[in-house]
Amino acid sequence: MSEKSLHLRLGIIVSLFALFLVFYAIPSFVFAPSNVRNIILSPVFWPYVLAGLTGTIGLGLVFNALTSAPDTPFDDEESVHPEGSAPWMRLAALAVIMVLVMFGLPRLGMVWTAMLAFAACAFLFRTRHPIVAVICAVVVPLLLYAFFAHVAGVAIPQGNFVRLP
């Protein structure tokens, strides 16, 4: 399979999935009360944004496949670089992180647990930018907490040990 045909197939599938979300799944399964004043706080806004982004990515893949150079063979990384049991060990470590997140949520709260889980996953997958990963692990959950707790007025689960303002 060539990279061009892979992009074309993935682009078509992703675009069709986005259409399925927009025309069937979101209207059928996401309930939106009529008294929501702010569109950003509506339960249907973000699913439509994600569906739109999904469709845009799918169309980008199709466009890339149609305008790219002639077919070049696609090298499968597994056949070129066999890693042995390392992928299975990473999968097991990710499962351990997920279990620790479930135990950490009631004790540490959502924000602190998300920080630790983000950093653990970044180092588990050996990021090329560890400093940026640590900064994002701290800043992104804090910004999300600030938005949802102080702007949107949504209660974010706090832990037993540390409480955010």
Side-chain angles (χ1 to χ4, degrees):
M1 178 183 301
S2 69
E3 187 173 348
K4 185 174 181 176
S5 65
L6 178 68
H7 284 191
L8 184 64
R9 290 178 186 179
L10 281 175
I12 291 171
I13 290 170
V14 168
S15 298
L16 290 175
F17 181 68
L19 289 174
F20 167 76
L21 287 175
V22 168
F23 291 116
Y24 179 71
I26 295 172
S28 298
F29 298 111
V30 179
F31 174 72
S34 60
N35 62 352
V36 177
R37 291 184 219 128
N38 192 348
I39 186 68
I40 294 175
L41 299 178
S42 174
V44 296
F45 177 73
W46 292 110
Y48 276 121
V49 167
L50 291 176
L53 290 173
T54 302
T56 304
I57 290 170
L59 292 175
L61 284 170
V62 169
F63 178 76
N64 183 28
L66 295 177
T67 60
S68 65
D71 286 343
T72 57
F74 183 67
D75 293 329
D76 189 10
E77 290 184 13
E78 290 181 9
S79 63
V80 176
H81 303 289
E83 296 185 19
S85 64
W88 294 106
M89 295 301 290
R90 280 195 301 270
L91 184 64
L94 187 61
V96 169
I97 290 172
M98 287 185 215
V99 169
L100 290 174
V101 164
M102 294 310 297
F103 283 115
L105 279 173
R107 291 159 186 80
L108 298 176
M110 188 173 282
V111 177
W112 299 102
T113 305
M115 288 179 190
L116 294 173
F118 191 108
C121 288
F123 290 114
L124 174 67
F125 296 118
R126 297 184 198 115
T127 180
R128 293 182 200 160
H129 310 285
I131 295 171
V132 174
V134 170
I135 291 170
C136 289
V138 173
V139 171
V140 170
L142 285 176
L143 287 177
L144 287 172
Y145 169 76
F147 172 77
F148 282 106
H150 299 293
V151 176
V154 176
I156 302 296
Q158 297 286 322
N160 296 332
F161 303 116
V162 180
R163 297 217 172 245
L164 294 171

